[in-house]
């Protein structure tokens, strides 16, 4: 049955997270996602409220999900409503962060004592168990089978989609003069199918600017609201309005 997402109505608060609020709607299969203005620097501890950040992440996430859709990658994204919400398919989440790495940086270069920026000969896909109390330990598929968190079929799909998303996203960011060092994905299931969920934004990707060598994850740490706000606006502009158009896209922005 076709659902007109413009007719959906916000019902109850379903999840109040660090960077997003999720609401149920009058349709059991769909949720509203509201982005928050909080910025949690990847390489710093203190969060900062940045006016306008929620609107930028809404635009960026929506754009990237539509981009993935054009490559037949199933995502939870259904559309935007009211200028404030992303409508998504309600999923049963697989309790992992999937991290895809193209070059050493962050926790990876610390663990393996590698130089930041060292290119990995092949991308690395890592799973971290999503449990804050345990400190998000790294796991492999066998942990997930033993814990009853997933099965072989699902893990095969998650790995296949992660590799494909990495390939298309690397190109996407290269066209915008960014090197995609690493990024995080989350997945969820509904009706026996697996979908990319949560968000893909500046907050979940480590991007290095190829025009001036800026490491974007480093420049938000400890900065004032106005500086972070300028950076988000600049990156938003470059993502949504690239000089070289996304060849497969003619998106409503
Ligand atoms: P956190 O919960 O870690 O503080 P967020 O502020 O990003 O993080 O909250 C979003 C939460 O919603 C995450 O826990 C994420 O796994 C979950 N989520 C994302 N997409 C969906 C979806 N389509 N259906 C159900 N839950 C989702
Ligand atoms: P890391 O180097 O700290 O392990 O991070 C790798 C990538 O994953 C980086 O692009 C940031 C992203 N990430 C998130 O989006 N959320 C998280 O909670 C973590 C730990 C990483």
């Amino acid at each position: 049955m076709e659902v007109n997402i413009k007719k959906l109505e916000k019902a109850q608060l379903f999840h109040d997270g660090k960077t997003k609020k999720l609401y149920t709607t009058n349709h059991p299969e769909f949720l509203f996602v509201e982005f928050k203005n909080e910025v949690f620097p990847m390489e710093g501890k203190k969060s900062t409220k940045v006016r306008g950040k929620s609107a930028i992440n809404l635009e960026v996430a929506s754009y990237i999900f539509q981009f993935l859709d054009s490559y037949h990658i199933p995502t939870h994204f259904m559309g935007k409503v009211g200028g404030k919400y992303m409508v998504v398919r309600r999923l049963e989440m697989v309790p992992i962060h999937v991290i895809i790495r193209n070059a050493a940086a962050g926790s990876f270069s610390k663990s393996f004592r590698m130089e930041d920026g060292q290119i990995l000969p092949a991308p690395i896909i890592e799973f971290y168990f999503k449990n804050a109390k345990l400190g998000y330990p790294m796991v492999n598929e066998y942990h997930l089978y033993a814990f009853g968190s997933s099965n072989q079929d699902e893990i095969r799909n998650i790995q296949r989609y992660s590799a494909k998303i990495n390939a298309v996203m690397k190109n996407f960011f290269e066209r915008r003069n960014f090197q995609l060092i690493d990024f995080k994905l989350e997945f969820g299931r509904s009706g026996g199918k697996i979908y990319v969920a949560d968000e893909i934004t500046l907050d979940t990707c480590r991007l290095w600017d190829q025009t001036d060598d800026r490491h974007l994850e480093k420049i938000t740490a400890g900065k004032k609201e106005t500086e972070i706000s300028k950076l988000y606006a600049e990156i938003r502009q470059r993502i949504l309005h690239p000089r070289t158009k996304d060849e497969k896209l003619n998106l409503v922005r």
Side-chain angles (χ1 to χ4, degrees):
M1 191 182 67
E2 267 301 287
V3 176
N4 180 355
I5 62 158
K6 301 283 174 210
K7 290 208 170 132
L8 290 176
E9 283 164 29
K10 188 168 98 176
Q12 284 174 346
L13 183 63
F14 168 71
H15 177 88
D16 189 359
K18 270 167 40 185
T19 58
K20 297 185 289 297
K21 279 184 182 173
L22 273 60
Y23 297 90
T24 58
T25 66
N26 54 342
H27 193 301
E29 287 174 28
F30 303 106
L31 298 172
F32 278 8
V33 177
E34 180 180 12
F35 287 88
K36 294 184 179 181
N37 279 334
E38 246 79 30
V39 175
F40 288 84
M42 257 180 230
E43 306 213 348
K45 291 212 164 66
K46 217 173 139 271
S47 72
T48 316
K49 251 202 166 96
V50 175
R51 237 166 307 149
K53 182 245 174 178
S54 58
I56 290 177
N57 274 18
L58 171 64
E59 279 191 285
V60 169
S62 303
Y63 189 87
I64 292 178
F65 280 134
Q66 288 174 86
F67 177 71
L68 296 181
D69 187 52
S70 75
Y71 283 89
H72 309 290
I73 294 161
T75 83
H76 69 162
F77 179 80
M78 304 294 298
K80 281 187 283 183
V81 289
K84 194 172 163 191
Y85 302 110
M86 184 165 86
V87 182
V88 300
R89 188 181 296 279
R90 180 175 180 166
L91 302 173
E92 185 188 347
M93 297 301 288
V94 182
I96 51 172
H97 281 176
V98 180
I99 309 279
I100 300 101
R101 302 183 186 271
N102 295 305
S107 70
F108 183 87
S109 40
K110 277 195 197 84
S111 300
F112 296 100
R113 304 217 179 137
M114 281 168 76
E115 285 265 310
D116 269 4
Q118 190 174 324
I119 301 290
L120 300 167
I124 292 177
I125 300 177
E126 299 173 337
F127 296 155
Y128 291 87
F129 196 57
K130 204 172 162 201
N131 185 317
K133 278 194 196 129
L134 300 178
Y136 294 85
M138 195 196 274
V139 291
N140 65 30
E141 56 266 49
Y142 298 102
H143 293 87
L144 302 174
Y145 305 152
F147 297 163
S149 307
S150 193
N151 60 43
Q152 268 186 324
D153 223 30
E154 213 170 69
I155 293 297
R156 209 176 304 119
N157 277 325
I158 288 176
Q159 287 170 330
R160 203 162 51 87
Y161 287 136
S162 298
K164 184 168 175 186
I165 293 167
N166 184 43
V168 299
M169 294 257 299
K170 254 174 78 174
N171 281 330
F172 175 91
F173 283 115
E174 267 163 26
R175 282 197 294 281
R176 289 152 173 89
N177 272 317
F178 292 112
Q179 186 185 358
L180 178 61
I181 300 289
D182 53 40
F183 64 106
K184 185 221 27 155
L185 294 173
E186 291 189 35
F187 292 86
R189 59 182 85 91
S190 171
K193 260 188 84 179
I194 198 89
Y195 296 86
V196 183
D198 205 54
E199 64 177 295
I200 303 175
T201 60
L202 303 180
D203 297 357
T204 61
C205 300
R206 183 176 267 116
L207 297 172
W208 289 3
D209 193 338
Q210 293 176 313
T211 57
D212 58 9
D213 223 18
R214 285 181 300 174
H215 296 184
L216 300 190
E217 78 281 3
K218 290 209 169 75
I219 45 182
T220 52
K223 287 286 188 309
K224 294 216 170 60
E225 182 190 342
T226 46
E227 287 172 82
I228 303 175
S229 170
K230 259 171 76 183
L231 178 77
Y232 268 79
E234 179 208 321
I235 310 304
R236 171 204 166 274
Q237 180 65 18
R238 278 171 61 181
I239 290 179
L240 268 60
H241 303 286
R243 295 230 163 83
T244 327
K245 287 265 175 260
D246 292 315
E247 63 285 346
K248 296 181 82 168
L249 278 190
N250 182 19
L251 296 180
V252 181
R253 285 171 194 180

